[in-house]
Amino acid sequence: MKYGIVIFPTKAVQDEANSYRKRYDPHYALIPPHITLKEAFEADGDQLEEVVTELKHIANETEPFKININKVSTFAPVTNTIYFKIEPIKELNDLYKKMHSGTFSENQEYAFVPHITIAQKLSHDEYSDIFGSMKMKDIQIEDTVDRFQLMYQLDNGSWTVHDSFVFGKEFV
Amino acid sequence: MKYGIVIFPTKAVQDEANSYRKRYDPHYALIPPHITLKEAFEADGDQLEEVVTELKHIANETEPFKININKVSTFAPVTNTIYFKIEPIKELNDLYKKMHSGTFSENQEYAFVPHITIAQKLSHDEYSDIFGSMKMKDIQIEDTVDRFQLMYQLDNGSWTVHDSFVFGKEFV
């Protein structure tokens, strides 16, 4: 089965991201707006148990922290994905590193750029139009992160939560 | 904010339910296939904390249990919803009762009929066609329940998981 690890920002930020995703992101209906900590990886029953235990340890070692979004950015020319850029901070990096070493597969394809996707898989013209107007927007979002979620993918491509890991609150 | 409490069946059951929901359920993209334990209720920050603590206690008091689905049924003529009927068992009833007393609002509208919706909001003719063919199907699904999920609703009507509660594994 295919699993992934994400952070959901608070409802207000999800609603804001969805106002763009609805029109510009074909993954809109597959998963709520999120910060990906670990891309899709395969795990079976035994491996999953090990992963869950390790994620509980990681959650218990982590304190709630603040994130800031100050701009819309893009991965172009690699892909024409447009996203809310999360200002890089040690706390996010630490989570990412812990989820790509030890028990965990090193399945990262690119360097870690924390972000919330708001548009992807656009035609070149759409991309230029949309990014042109979005990069002018004045965006100032502060949010608090106190948990992450382990998800699995269904046959239709959508994701269901397997388990939530709340910082400092997991029973190992 | 609006919250609800659900059980997600295992992936195989969700995939099976989605094969119908995709065509016949307008809520297909809003939430994965689920058994509703508590319909939408309002809670603010303080109430939520109380609810989460109570749900941890409930989860810790509950042992994993099996559920069985042996037929497709309908709420017609009240609504023309079509669903996988979960054979009634004490464990589900106990969860339901605990989530509608004490700390919790008694927001039940109907008697508790555990089910997984696979079609709803159909026209009368669609309903007759679809239920006519579905009720003939030989369905035999057994599944194990070991957790439930507290969700909140976004402005677009979709649901995001706030927290998962695993039976016997919560730290209160």
Side-chain angles (χ1 to χ4, degrees), chain B residues 1 3 18-19 32 34 42 49 53-55 58 60 65 79 84 90-91 103-104 108 128 141-142 145 148 151 162 171:
Chain B
M1 210 143 92
Y3 294 87
N18 270 340
S19 69
H34 60 278
E42 285 287 341
E49 217 169 301
T53 303
E54 190 54 32
L55 290 176
I58 293 174
N60 280 346
F65 58 87
T79 71
F84 286 156
K90 186 173 180 310
E91 287 88 340
T103 305
F104 294 96
Q108 73 261 54
S128 299
I141 298 172
E142 187 184 85
V145 174
F148 52 76
M151 312 193 76
H162 177 73
F171 174 71

Side-chain angles (χ1 to χ4, degrees), chain A residues 7-21:
Chain A
I7 291 166
F8 296 129
T10 49
K11 175 177 177 294
V13 182
Q14 290 183 63
D15 286 336
E16 173 80 6
N18 270 340
S19 70
Y20 302 105
R21 295 176 79 225

Side-chain angles (χ1 to χ4, degrees), chain B residues 49-103:
Chain B
E49 217 169 301
E50 212 178 317
V51 161
V52 166
T53 303
E54 190 54 32
L55 290 176
K56 288 182 178 183
H57 284 296
I58 293 174
N60 280 346
E61 291 159 14
T62 308
E63 301 265 353
F65 58 87
K66 290 210 186 305
I67 56 172
N68 283 280
I69 299 168
N70 299 317
K71 65 186 276 205
V72 168
S73 192
T74 173
F75 290 126
V78 179
T79 71
N80 64 17
T81 297
I82 300 171
Y83 58 83
F84 286 156
K85 181 178 165 63
I86 317 287
E87 292 304 318
I89 44 166
K90 186 173 180 310
E91 287 88 340
L92 275 176
N93 246 314
D94 286 351
L95 285 177
Y96 178 85
K97 269 194 260 170
K98 289 177 184 175
M99 292 172 189
H100 292 83
S101 59
T103 305

Side-chain angles (χ1 to χ4, degrees), chain A residues 11 14 147 152 155 162, chain B residues 11 14 147 152 155 162:
Chain A
K11 175 177 177 294
Q14 290 183 63
R147 68 193 60 205
Y152 54 94
D155 288 354
H162 176 74
Chain B
K11 175 177 176 295
Q14 289 183 64
R147 67 192 62 205
Y152 54 94
D155 287 354
H162 177 73

